[in-house]
Amino acid sequence: MAIRGKQVLLGVCGSIAAYKSAHLTRLLVKAGAEVQVVMTPDATNFIAPLTLATLSGKPVLVDYFDPASGEWNNHVHLALAADAVVVAPASANTLAKFAQGLCDNLLCAIYLSAKSPVFVAPAMDLDMWQHGATQANMARLKSFGNHIIPPNDGPLASGLSGTGRLAEPEQIVGALVVHFSDPKPLAGKRALVTAGPTHEAIDPVRYISNHSSGKMGYAIATELASLGADVVLVSGPTNLPVPDGTKIVPVTTAAEMLNACLTEFDKADITVMSAAVADFTSKSVADRKIKKGNEEHQFAIELVKTTDILAVLGERKSKRQILIGFALETDDGLASAKEKLRRKNLDFIVLNSMQDEGAGFAGDSNKITIIDRNHVAEEFDLKPKSEVAADICTRIISLISR
Ligand code: CTP
């Protein structure tokens, strides 16, 4: 395993999710890492240092100075000895201190002294996570080159439900494994990902579109980049930040998305067409705002079909290229998805559920079925979109290495 023998400094902050750091420590040790746990003083209210000391096989450090032994915990040495600093859970308070360079405890001093990659896995209540201050702090940490392991969506300790749950210990170990894998499984591969809706103008102020948020495509682009691929993300209009390590090509209409894909496709080894491209566009676009008038009670827009981008790419595809499509169905999903897979010459198709609660366009989770060229279908549980993206990429890696 890629993290065997690595020195991992695990920072644990004051958050209810600190209970998961016991499992995380166990998994890291099992994977062969040497784990040094450093807790903030608040974290010790949530989980006993003895638990983490026993699981890591090393004394847990909290303060600079141990009055009992007279020992000084040198933050610079601790930081420099680490191959990776992993802060999980990272509380809103500690993230804010990291972002500002504050240094009022041992963990903060280690963070400032670290030369190794730093991974932060935030955990907090959804409103704290969404607050502009937290988001600005996260953007600052990203700009420092820190790796963010985003929180999951689901029930929170407050009783509310939303984004803020600490990533599962398995995901955190997975992020480290990917980071230390050399070469990364998709190193040297080029990927083209499309995401989001398209906007088809009717007049200068109105357009036809759909409810796609782009979250699924962005999660796939993020995952492919973290696996080492060179990613071009052709994105319709969304409110999402550009994923780390990807080149973004913003487009608005289906026609623009087609052009961008045609420019990028021949260079791509992997293409994932997750955009919700409009199937129809207005035959003509009024150059002035259409007035509602006084008399008419009906108004019709003449629509024409857009080009099916995926079908065009399927025709152009060479043997070395992997092409993946999505299908969003309300009825008879499996049969339609299989038909699209064949008609568009895909390597596999991802069938999205519209029926399951929590799955679909706007949310942070999704429930998918992957259908391959032999029509073998694998159904996955409802999961956060980041984990769905990981499942899709696992399948891509297995096709690449066949
Ligand atoms: N797609 C595309 N270009 C279009 C429409 C769809 O490339 N103009 C792609 C989508 O990105 C997706 C796949 O085709 O990967 C399936 O999209 P979907 O809307 O489910 O199916 P359609 O093929 O459009 O068929 P239908 O509307 O009949 O369900």
Short mmCIF file of all heavy atoms in Angstrom, two decimals, residues 105-133:
data_model
loop_
_atom_site.label_atom_id
_atom_site.label_comp_id
_atom_site.label_asym_id
_atom_site.label_seq_id
_atom_site.Cartn_x
_atom_site.Cartn_y
_atom_site.Cartn_z
N ASN A 105 -1.78 26.91 19.76
CA ASN A 105 -1.65 25.56 20.32
C ASN A 105 -0.65 24.77 19.48
O ASN A 105 -0.20 25.24 18.41
CB ASN A 105 -3.01 24.84 20.44
CG ASN A 105 -3.69 24.61 19.10
OD1 ASN A 105 -3.03 24.32 18.10
ND2 ASN A 105 -5.02 24.73 19.08
N LEU A 106 -0.30 23.59 19.96
CA LEU A 106 0.74 22.79 19.31
C LEU A 106 0.38 22.46 17.86
O LEU A 106 1.21 22.57 16.95
CB LEU A 106 0.98 21.50 20.12
CG LEU A 106 2.07 20.57 19.59
CD1 LEU A 106 3.44 21.24 19.63
CD2 LEU A 106 2.10 19.27 20.42
N LEU A 107 -0.89 22.07 17.63
CA LEU A 107 -1.29 21.68 16.27
C LEU A 107 -1.14 22.85 15.29
O LEU A 107 -0.64 22.67 14.17
CB LEU A 107 -2.73 21.14 16.27
CG LEU A 107 -3.25 20.68 14.91
CD1 LEU A 107 -2.39 19.54 14.35
CD2 LEU A 107 -4.71 20.26 14.97
N CYS A 108 -1.55 24.05 15.71
CA CYS A 108 -1.42 25.22 14.83
C CYS A 108 0.05 25.50 14.53
O CYS A 108 0.39 25.87 13.39
CB CYS A 108 -2.06 26.45 15.47
SG CYS A 108 -3.85 26.36 15.50
N ALA A 109 0.90 25.34 15.52
CA ALA A 109 2.34 25.59 15.29
C ALA A 109 2.91 24.56 14.32
O ALA A 109 3.72 24.89 13.45
CB ALA A 109 3.08 25.55 16.63
N ILE A 110 2.46 23.32 14.45
CA ILE A 110 2.92 22.28 13.52
C ILE A 110 2.44 22.61 12.10
O ILE A 110 3.19 22.50 11.14
CB ILE A 110 2.40 20.89 13.97
CG1 ILE A 110 3.13 20.48 15.26
CG2 ILE A 110 2.58 19.84 12.88
CD1 ILE A 110 2.57 19.24 15.93
N TYR A 111 1.18 23.04 11.99
CA TYR A 111 0.64 23.39 10.66
C TYR A 111 1.51 24.46 9.99
O TYR A 111 1.87 24.35 8.82
CB TYR A 111 -0.81 23.89 10.81
CG TYR A 111 -1.35 24.47 9.53
CD1 TYR A 111 -1.77 23.66 8.49
CD2 TYR A 111 -1.41 25.86 9.33
CE1 TYR A 111 -2.24 24.17 7.29
CE2 TYR A 111 -1.88 26.39 8.14
CZ TYR A 111 -2.30 25.55 7.13
OH TYR A 111 -2.76 26.07 5.94
N LEU A 112 1.88 25.48 10.78
CA LEU A 112 2.67 26.57 10.19
C LEU A 112 4.08 26.12 9.83
O LEU A 112 4.71 26.70 8.94
CB LEU A 112 2.74 27.75 11.17
CG LEU A 112 1.50 28.61 11.27
CD1 LEU A 112 1.74 29.77 12.23
CD2 LEU A 112 1.08 29.15 9.90
N SER A 113 4.57 25.10 10.53
CA SER A 113 5.95 24.67 10.29
C SER A 113 6.04 23.57 9.23
O SER A 113 7.14 23.23 8.80
CB SER A 113 6.56 24.09 11.58
OG SER A 113 6.31 24.94 12.67
N ALA A 114 4.88 23.01 8.83
CA ALA A 114 4.91 21.80 7.98
C ALA A 114 5.45 22.10 6.58
O ALA A 114 5.08 23.11 5.97
CB ALA A 114 3.51 21.22 7.88
N LYS A 115 6.31 21.21 6.11
CA LYS A 115 6.80 21.30 4.73
C LYS A 115 6.15 20.20 3.88
O LYS A 115 6.24 20.21 2.66
CB LYS A 115 8.32 21.08 4.69
CG LYS A 115 9.13 22.19 5.32
CD LYS A 115 9.78 23.04 4.20
CE LYS A 115 10.74 24.05 4.74
NZ LYS A 115 10.04 25.15 5.43
N SER A 116 5.53 19.24 4.55
CA SER A 116 4.91 18.11 3.85
C SER A 116 3.51 18.53 3.37
O SER A 116 2.99 19.55 3.82
CB SER A 116 4.78 16.94 4.81
OG SER A 116 3.91 17.30 5.85
N PRO A 117 2.89 17.72 2.50
CA PRO A 117 1.50 18.04 2.13
C PRO A 117 0.58 18.01 3.35
O PRO A 117 0.77 17.17 4.23
CB PRO A 117 1.13 16.94 1.14
CG PRO A 117 2.22 15.95 1.15
CD PRO A 117 3.42 16.55 1.80
N VAL A 118 -0.35 18.94 3.36
CA VAL A 118 -1.32 19.02 4.47
C VAL A 118 -2.70 18.68 3.91
O VAL A 118 -3.12 19.25 2.89
CB VAL A 118 -1.34 20.43 5.08
CG1 VAL A 118 -2.42 20.54 6.15
CG2 VAL A 118 0.03 20.79 5.66
N PHE A 119 -3.37 17.75 4.58
CA PHE A 119 -4.73 17.37 4.19
C PHE A 119 -5.67 17.84 5.30
O PHE A 119 -5.43 17.52 6.46
CB PHE A 119 -4.86 15.84 4.06
CG PHE A 119 -4.03 15.29 2.93
CD1 PHE A 119 -2.67 15.10 3.09
CD2 PHE A 119 -4.62 14.95 1.73
CE1 PHE A 119 -1.90 14.60 2.06
CE2 PHE A 119 -3.87 14.44 0.68
CZ PHE A 119 -2.50 14.27 0.85
N VAL A 120 -6.73 18.56 4.93
CA VAL A 120 -7.69 18.93 5.97
C VAL A 120 -9.05 18.36 5.62
O VAL A 120 -9.53 18.48 4.49
CB VAL A 120 -7.80 20.46 6.21
CG1 VAL A 120 -6.57 21.01 6.88
CG2 VAL A 120 -8.07 21.20 4.95
N ALA A 121 -9.64 17.70 6.61
CA ALA A 121 -10.97 17.10 6.43
C ALA A 121 -11.92 17.80 7.40
O ALA A 121 -11.98 17.46 8.58
CB ALA A 121 -10.91 15.60 6.71
N PRO A 122 -12.64 18.83 6.92
CA PRO A 122 -13.50 19.60 7.81
C PRO A 122 -14.70 18.81 8.31
O PRO A 122 -15.18 17.89 7.63
CB PRO A 122 -13.99 20.76 6.92
CG PRO A 122 -13.12 20.75 5.71
CD PRO A 122 -12.67 19.34 5.54
N ALA A 123 -15.17 19.19 9.49
CA ALA A 123 -16.42 18.62 10.04
C ALA A 123 -17.06 19.70 10.88
O ALA A 123 -16.42 20.27 11.75
CB ALA A 123 -16.12 17.39 10.89
N MET A 124 -18.30 19.98 10.59
CA MET A 124 -19.04 21.00 11.37
C MET A 124 -20.51 20.96 10.96
O MET A 124 -20.88 20.20 10.05
CB MET A 124 -18.44 22.39 11.14
CG MET A 124 -18.54 22.91 9.74
SD MET A 124 -17.41 24.28 9.41
CE MET A 124 -15.83 23.46 9.29
N ASP A 125 -21.30 21.81 11.59
CA ASP A 125 -22.70 21.85 11.23
C ASP A 125 -22.88 22.56 9.87
O ASP A 125 -22.02 23.35 9.47
CB ASP A 125 -23.49 22.58 12.31
CG ASP A 125 -24.88 22.00 12.39
OD1 ASP A 125 -25.00 20.79 12.58
OD2 ASP A 125 -25.84 22.76 12.19
N LEU A 126 -23.99 22.25 9.19
CA LEU A 126 -24.12 22.73 7.80
C LEU A 126 -24.07 24.25 7.66
O LEU A 126 -23.47 24.77 6.72
CB LEU A 126 -25.36 22.15 7.11
CG LEU A 126 -26.74 22.73 7.36
CD1 LEU A 126 -27.68 22.30 6.25
CD2 LEU A 126 -27.28 22.25 8.68
N ASP A 127 -24.66 24.97 8.65
CA ASP A 127 -24.67 26.44 8.53
C ASP A 127 -23.27 27.01 8.75
O ASP A 127 -22.89 28.00 8.12
CB ASP A 127 -25.66 27.04 9.52
CG ASP A 127 -27.07 26.62 9.18
OD1 ASP A 127 -27.41 26.62 7.98
OD2 ASP A 127 -27.83 26.25 10.10
N MET A 128 -22.52 26.36 9.65
CA MET A 128 -21.14 26.80 9.86
C MET A 128 -20.32 26.58 8.59
O MET A 128 -19.50 27.39 8.20
CB MET A 128 -20.50 26.02 11.03
CG MET A 128 -21.16 26.29 12.36
SD MET A 128 -20.55 25.15 13.61
CE MET A 128 -18.96 25.85 13.99
N TRP A 129 -20.56 25.41 7.96
CA TRP A 129 -19.82 25.08 6.74
C TRP A 129 -20.15 26.05 5.61
O TRP A 129 -19.28 26.50 4.88
CB TRP A 129 -20.13 23.63 6.33
CG TRP A 129 -19.55 23.24 4.99
CD1 TRP A 129 -20.23 22.95 3.86
CD2 TRP A 129 -18.16 23.11 4.66
NE1 TRP A 129 -19.37 22.65 2.84
CE2 TRP A 129 -18.09 22.74 3.30
CE3 TRP A 129 -16.98 23.26 5.37
CZ2 TRP A 129 -16.88 22.52 2.64
CZ3 TRP A 129 -15.77 23.06 4.72
CH2 TRP A 129 -15.72 22.69 3.38
N GLN A 130 -21.45 26.41 5.52
CA GLN A 130 -21.87 27.27 4.40
C GLN A 130 -21.51 28.73 4.63
O GLN A 130 -21.54 29.53 3.71
CB GLN A 130 -23.38 27.17 4.20
CG GLN A 130 -23.75 25.95 3.38
CD GLN A 130 -25.21 25.62 3.47
OE1 GLN A 130 -26.00 26.35 4.10
NE2 GLN A 130 -25.61 24.52 2.88
N HIS A 131 -21.20 29.10 5.87
CA HIS A 131 -20.96 30.51 6.16
C HIS A 131 -19.82 31.06 5.29
O HIS A 131 -18.83 30.37 5.03
CB HIS A 131 -20.61 30.69 7.64
CG HIS A 131 -20.73 32.13 8.08
ND1 HIS A 131 -19.79 33.08 7.76
CD2 HIS A 131 -21.72 32.77 8.75
CE1 HIS A 131 -20.19 34.25 8.23
NE2 HIS A 131 -21.35 34.09 8.84
N GLY A 132 -20.00 32.29 4.87
CA GLY A 132 -19.00 32.92 4.00
C GLY A 132 -17.61 32.91 4.62
O GLY A 132 -16.61 32.75 3.91
N ALA A 133 -17.56 33.03 5.95
CA ALA A 133 -16.25 33.07 6.62
C ALA A 133 -15.54 31.73 6.44
O ALA A 133 -14.35 31.67 6.09
CB ALA A 133 -16.42 33.38 8.10
#
